[in-house]
Amino acid sequence: MATTPAAAAAAAAAGGAAILDTLGDFTSRENWDKFFALRGTGDSFEWYAEWEDLRAPLLSLLHGCGGGAEGGGGGKAPEILVPGCGSSVLSERLYDAGFRRVTNVDFSRVLVADMLRRHARARPEMRWRVMDMTDMQFTDGSFDVILDKGGLDALMEPEAGTKLGMKYLNEAKRVLKSGGKFACLTLAESHVLALLLSEFRFGWDMSIQAIGNESSKSAFQTFMVVMVKGKMGVVHPIQSLLDQSGKFCNMKQANDVIHSLEKENTIRESYSSGVDVTLSLRDLQLGAVGDLKVIIPGRRRMFILGDQGNSLYCYKAVLLDARKRTETFVYHCGVFIVPKVRAHEWLFASEEGQWHVVESAKAARLIMVFLDSRHANADMDVIKNDLSPLVKDLEPGNPEEEARIPFMMAGDGVKQREILQEVTSEITGPMVVEDVVYENSDEDQSSMTEKMFRRLIFKRNSGLVQSEALLVKDSTSDKADENNKKSPSASKKRRNQKKGPSGSKTVLRIDHSYLGSSYHSSIISGLSLIASALDSAAVAGTKVSTTVIGLGAGTLPMFLRGCLPFLDIKVVELDPLVEEVAKKYFGFSTDEQLQVHLGDGIKFIDDIAVANSGATTQQLMSTGNENNAVKILIVDVDSSDVSSGLSCPHANFVEDSFLLAVKKFLDEGGLFIINLVSRSSAVREMVVSRLKAAFEHLYSLHLKEDLNEVLFATPSERCLDNNNMDEAVAKLKAMLKFPVNVESDMKKLQKLQ
């Protein structure tokens, strides 16, 4: 394992390449013991920043702490901690400058023994301790100042990640007094600076300046980052003493730091502006909403619980501290799980309803966790085991008795369930078809007739409910009933009957005018972007080429066929068994208007894109791709590989090569629609960035009640209605044969490019 590139280069410059050969792993105690033993006694070693360059900024910092140097300010001199002290002369120079209360910590016994021999007589008040800086044996609030000279840089091995660095910073925060100063001398490599900026975001005053290098003539710039411990929850902008026009020994290094500070200050401004920023569990742990160990009556904050690498799933959650202190609390902390099908209910979706749940739960603090499509059909014991270590970090106080945090649940929302078929495909994996009736606890809807839904579940993706369709009574069944009794096939017909929600036997069919997924509604509403082109095609009696990659249960293409009869729909599906299931259980059927192509969706688009590229203008016009033609391409597929950070679509569908093929496929005149589900903001930004690079215009419909974000991209303005969206919405609504809440959806539309 090697240390960071810049730190390694700085060390090599300070003491020669042999240092690196001796150390290898900068986090190894044994390696440092060997290193100091080989260097011998009485020798000092500086990673970077000589005392002559540090003297002025450090003494200025320290004279502002407590009473300053011994005898200099009339007050008590500051208690100073130097973690990972090594054999630097920093501590002895501070001592000689009058700062006698210096405690030095290092985990190398060889080093500490040598430093004691060197300084015991000359500097008797200076203390030396053999101690791991990531696990210090000091009481809370022991020091006024912590001076770190390269210690954090040494811990931040790129291959090991941030684990050791975070442990050390947590310890530094713990042993520092309120109002104390933590000064970190660092090369400020991107991963080190990123950790400092995020870990000291809440409740700390932060400043950064460059250290001169007149003495060392190093090729690397040293920075001093100072954090002052303040009040939890308060966010301050970083005070930067850096100037892009200033002189630095390494301009690229300095410019990178300046850019990072500008970006961080933008983030901090959003937190302090009152905008409802989504917090992470780590933000809460760092004090974004105050001290988590204390119950603050009426505190309520939404946040994201869990992340990739630390948990199986990610969860939307709300932290609620009971509004009134009472002696009747049964639990000091509890977790309340809300299934997806009930998340929209007033009791769970509204702030007032959530306070009712807190009172009913009789918990001083309640963590309300909302399940969504990622968790559908996942085993509840797995969910609870995943949540347990996460919510433990949100437990208030130090209860007298170690109590297990209880899990409460609103129920999975399914009142009645019947599994129709379980089948395994070599391509898709295990699939389940089931009929369900959901519980209905909304008082204003209690008189409604219970509805039954048919669901297709792909178990490969955490039990993803791939499709959901509404079952309704077949209106033709009553008229046909008498004839069926007399018909030889009567017994077969009766076998297709089943008990409805009321228990009576009836014939049910799929209602293809109903969209079970809200993101499907958004896909339809987004066609407002090309409403004029669609209207022209409908009036002219021409067909609009529409390609859907991903069949599922066939509910979307069936809705499209009935809702917009002028669409010429081709569905591309990789798995023949999915088509069989769609036809057998979901009433999917093909005709001249709706066809299925079994094969790879990416290859299908590539082949047509290549053909379009090679075709002449005359050939394109003869095939109907004249200037006024419009095409629609919808990608609605899930991913079996969630390790990429994408649940939908598969990562191959957002590769640059495929997006280029889509652009050629649309032939400058169409709309590309993609259903995006990602738990990673970085992955989402990557997808958006690629779409922006490939297409001239990009729009987004983000469904806050789900994780889905529907993206709409077009290569040109030729078919785009972007001047009068109200008029475009009205045109689309006039064309739709089935009801869709277009106005409500389009209010959420955002232009990304």
Side-chain angles (χ1 to χ4, degrees):
M1 185 186 293
T3 191
T4 63
I19 293 174
L20 297 181
D21 294 336
T22 303
L23 286 172
D25 178 3
F26 277 39
T27 66
S28 167
R29 185 195 307 263
E30 291 74 17
N31 285 2
W32 280 107
D33 281 342
K34 180 180 178 183
F35 168 75
F36 287 120
L38 289 174
R39 289 188 67 89
T41 60
D43 190 18
S44 63
F45 172 71
E46 305 294 337
W47 276 59
Y48 34 73
E50 300 288 342
W51 171 250
E52 289 75 9
D53 299 319
L54 289 172
R55 186 179 186 279
L58 278 185
L59 293 185
S60 175
L61 175 77
L62 294 174
H63 279 300
C65 301
E70 293 286 350
K76 188 178 179 181
E79 290 283 354
I80 301 171
L81 173 67
V82 183
C85 60
S87 58
S88 169
V89 298
L90 174 65
S91 297
E92 62 184 80
R93 295 289 186 263
L94 290 174
Y95 190 97
D96 294 345
F99 296 94
R100 305 293 174 82
R101 298 173 182 271
V102 179
T103 300
N104 300 279
V105 164
D106 202 290
F107 66 0
S108 171
R109 293 184 178 277
V110 174
L111 177 278
V112 171
D114 180 42
M115 297 303 276
L116 279 169
R117 283 192 295 270
R118 289 166 58 180
H119 299 292
R121 291 185 178 180
R123 301 173 182 87
E125 296 175 57
M126 189 152 58
R127 296 179 291 273
W128 301 88
R129 297 286 298 274
V130 177
M131 194 180 292
D132 184 345
M133 59 198 286
T134 68
D135 185 20
M136 293 185 279
Q137 282 77 57
F138 298 117
T139 58
D140 295 359
S142 296
F143 297 96
D144 300 288
V145 180
I146 298 175
L147 294 181
D148 176 331
K149 185 170 182 282
L152 180 63
D153 286 4
L155 289 176
M156 293 290 284
E157 294 276 5
E159 296 176 20
T162 61
K163 184 177 180 180
L164 284 177
M166 288 181 66
K167 281 188 66 178
Y168 163 52
L169 294 183
N170 285 338
E171 281 291 272
K173 293 176 188 179
R174 182 183 65 79
V175 301
L176 190 65
K177 294 178 181 178
S178 179
K181 298 178 180 180
F182 176 21
C184 182
L185 294 161
T186 172
L187 298 180
E189 291 181 89
S190 59
H191 65 295
V192 177
L193 186 59
L195 184 65
L196 279 173
L197 296 180
S198 61
E199 289 293 298
F200 292 91
R201 183 174 289 156
F202 304 103
W204 295 79
D205 280 308
M206 197 170 190
S207 63
I208 184 168
Q209 67 183 89
I211 299 298
N213 65 332
E214 297 298 322
S215 302
S216 64
K217 303 296 182 183
S218 170
F220 293 93
Q221 180 66 57
T222 302
F223 299 89
M224 183 167 74
V225 186
V226 179
M227 287 73 64
V228 182
K229 190 173 185 178
K231 183 180 179 181
M232 276 192 174
V234 180
V235 182
H236 300 286
I238 301 169
Q239 181 185 6
S240 174
L241 304 179
L242 308 177
D243 185 351
Q244 286 180 321
S245 63
K247 292 183 179 180
F248 303 96
C249 63
N250 189 315
M251 286 303 299
K252 181 183 183 307
Q253 187 186 1
N255 285 332
D256 287 345
V257 171
I258 291 170
H259 176 72
S260 295
L261 295 182
E262 290 173 349
K263 185 176 179 182
E264 174 65 17
N265 272 336
T266 300
I267 294 172
R268 293 185 178 213
E269 184 179 353
S270 68
Y271 280 115
S272 58
S273 64
V275 177
D276 190 15
V277 179
T278 301
L279 300 174
S280 66
L281 173 60
R282 186 59 184 160
D283 289 334
L284 266 61
Q285 292 170 332
L286 292 172
V289 295
D291 190 352
L292 289 178
K293 292 299 180 184
V294 178
I295 295 290
I296 301 177
R299 174 165 55 182
R300 175 183 176 272
R301 192 59 192 255
M302 300 182 70
F303 67 103
I304 300 298
L305 191 58
D307 54 37
Q308 278 186 305
N310 293 325
S311 58
L312 292 176
Y313 301 104
C314 193
Y315 309 86
K316 289 188 291 184
V318 182
L319 180 144
L320 300 124
D321 282 352
R323 290 186 289 188
K324 296 179 181 179
R325 295 182 181 274
T326 174
E327 300 297 326
T328 60
F329 288 137
V330 177
Y331 309 110
H332 73 289
C333 184
V335 179
F336 195 96
I337 299 175
V338 182
K340 177 188 174 184
V341 294
R342 301 195 63 184
H344 69 284
E345 297 176 20
W346 173 86
L347 195 61
F348 309 116
S350 70
E351 181 176 348
E352 186 178 355
Q354 290 170 2
W355 288 122
H356 277 284
V357 176
V358 174
E359 292 177 14
S360 300
K362 298 187 182 302
R365 171 172 295 164
L366 193 68
I367 312 299
M368 190 174 288
V369 178
F370 295 86
L371 303 185
D372 52 45
S373 56
R374 291 168 297 185
H375 319 111
N377 260 40
D379 186 89
M380 191 50 58
D381 287 337
V382 172
I383 293 287
K384 291 177 180 179
N385 288 336
D386 194 34
L387 284 169
S388 290
L390 301 176
V391 297
K392 196 69 178 172
D393 290 332
L394 299 171
E395 190 174 14
N398 298 299
E400 295 180 5
E401 295 183 6
E402 187 70 17
R404 184 177 180 182
I405 298 176
F407 283 89
M408 295 162 268
M409 191 167 179
D412 66 359
V414 175
K415 179 180 179 180
Q416 177 182 323
R417 186 195 313 272
E418 179 185 358
I419 295 177
L420 304 182
Q421 184 172 8
E422 295 183 78
V423 62
T424 299
S425 162
E426 292 183 0
I427 298 174
T428 305
M431 293 183 283
V432 176
V433 179
E434 63 180 16
D435 287 349
V436 298
V437 175
Y438 293 121
E439 293 176 345
N440 189 357
S441 63
D442 288 347
E443 293 180 4
D444 59 338
Q445 297 179 3
S446 58
S447 61
M448 292 178 60
T449 304
E450 291 177 329
K451 294 180 179 180
M452 181 174 284
F453 296 87
R454 182 160 293 171
R455 310 197 305 186
L456 174 61
I457 295 169
F458 288 174
K459 285 192 168 182
R460 68 184 182 188
N461 194 349
S462 303
L464 175 70
V465 179
Q466 205 283 335
S467 300
E468 184 174 84
L470 177 65
L471 287 166
V472 295
K473 184 178 179 181
D474 191 343
S475 60
T476 63
S477 62
D478 292 336
K479 295 179 181 179
D481 192 51
E482 285 300 316
N483 293 332
N484 284 340
K485 289 178 181 178
K486 301 174 184 178
S487 166
S489 60
S491 60
K492 180 179 179 181
K493 184 69 177 179
R494 282 192 292 270
R495 283 197 301 271
N496 289 331
Q497 294 178 343
K498 66 185 301 180
K499 288 185 178 181
S502 63
S504 60
K505 288 188 177 180
T506 186
V507 177
L508 300 177
R509 64 172 177 83
I510 301 295
D511 182 358
H512 291 296
S513 67
Y514 171 85
L515 286 174
S517 300
S518 54
Y519 81 89
H520 279 169
S521 173
S522 297
I523 289 174
I524 303 299
S525 298
L527 296 178
S528 299
L529 291 166
I530 54 170
S532 293
L534 295 177
D535 185 54
S536 297
V539 171
T542 58
K543 295 290 187 182
V544 174
S545 173
T546 303
T547 303
V548 180
I549 299 180
L551 174 63
T555 54
L556 177 61
M558 290 291 285
F559 184 91
L560 286 169
R561 179 172 68 181
C563 191
L564 296 167
F566 55 87
L567 299 184
D568 183 19
I569 306 166
K570 179 159 287 186
V571 182
V572 185
E573 172 56 49
L574 185 64
D575 192 342
L577 190 55
V578 169
E579 183 186 11
E580 289 181 25
V581 169
K583 287 181 175 179
K584 183 176 180 180
Y585 292 101
F586 291 87
F588 178 75
S589 62
T590 58
D591 55 20
E592 290 185 358
Q593 185 190 349
L594 173 57
Q595 297 288 319
V596 173
H597 171 83
L598 290 174
D600 185 293
I602 292 177
K603 185 177 186 304
F604 180 85
I605 299 300
D606 283 342
D607 289 345
I608 296 179
V610 170
N612 283 352
S613 299
T616 64
T617 302
Q618 178 103 20
Q619 289 171 324
L620 289 172
M621 291 181 67
S622 68
T623 58
N625 290 334
E626 58 273 8
N627 288 338
N628 292 326
V630 61
K631 282 184 176 181
I632 301 169
L633 172 60
I634 302 170
V635 173
D636 184 19
V637 294
D638 73 307
S639 173
S640 58
D641 178 20
V642 294
S643 63
S644 65
L646 274 176
S647 296
C648 297
H650 190 282
N652 290 345
F653 286 94
V654 290
E655 292 290 343
D656 292 332
S657 56
F658 177 71
L659 298 180
L660 179 61
V662 169
K663 187 174 182 179
K664 293 178 180 177
F665 171 84
L666 293 177
D667 194 34
E668 299 298 324
L671 189 64
F672 175 43
I673 306 173
I674 188 166
N675 174 36
L676 176 66
V677 179
S678 175
R679 63 186 290 179
S680 166
S681 59
V683 171
R684 186 260 178 193
E685 288 302 318
M686 176 270 293
V687 173
V688 169
S689 176
R690 290 181 180 178
L691 285 165
K692 285 181 176 180
F695 296 93
E696 187 174 334
H697 299 278
L698 181 64
Y699 296 83
S700 165
L701 266 175
H702 201 171
L703 309 179
K704 289 188 177 180
E705 65 274 15
D706 283 322
L707 291 172
N708 303 72
E709 179 179 11
V710 183
L711 298 172
F712 305 87
T714 181
S716 72
E717 290 188 350
R718 195 171 74 189
C719 299
L720 192 62
D721 283 321
N722 57 357
N723 294 324
N724 191 332
M725 191 52 65
D726 290 339
E727 184 179 324
V729 167
K731 280 185 180 179
L732 179 67
K733 284 201 71 176
M735 287 183 274
L736 299 177
K737 305 298 182 185
F738 301 145
V740 178
N741 199 349
V742 181
E743 294 98 333
S744 176
D745 285 341
M746 293 304 284
K747 285 178 182 177
K748 305 171 189 172
L749 187 74
Q750 291 184 327
K751 182 174 176 61
L752 302 182
Q753 173 168 290

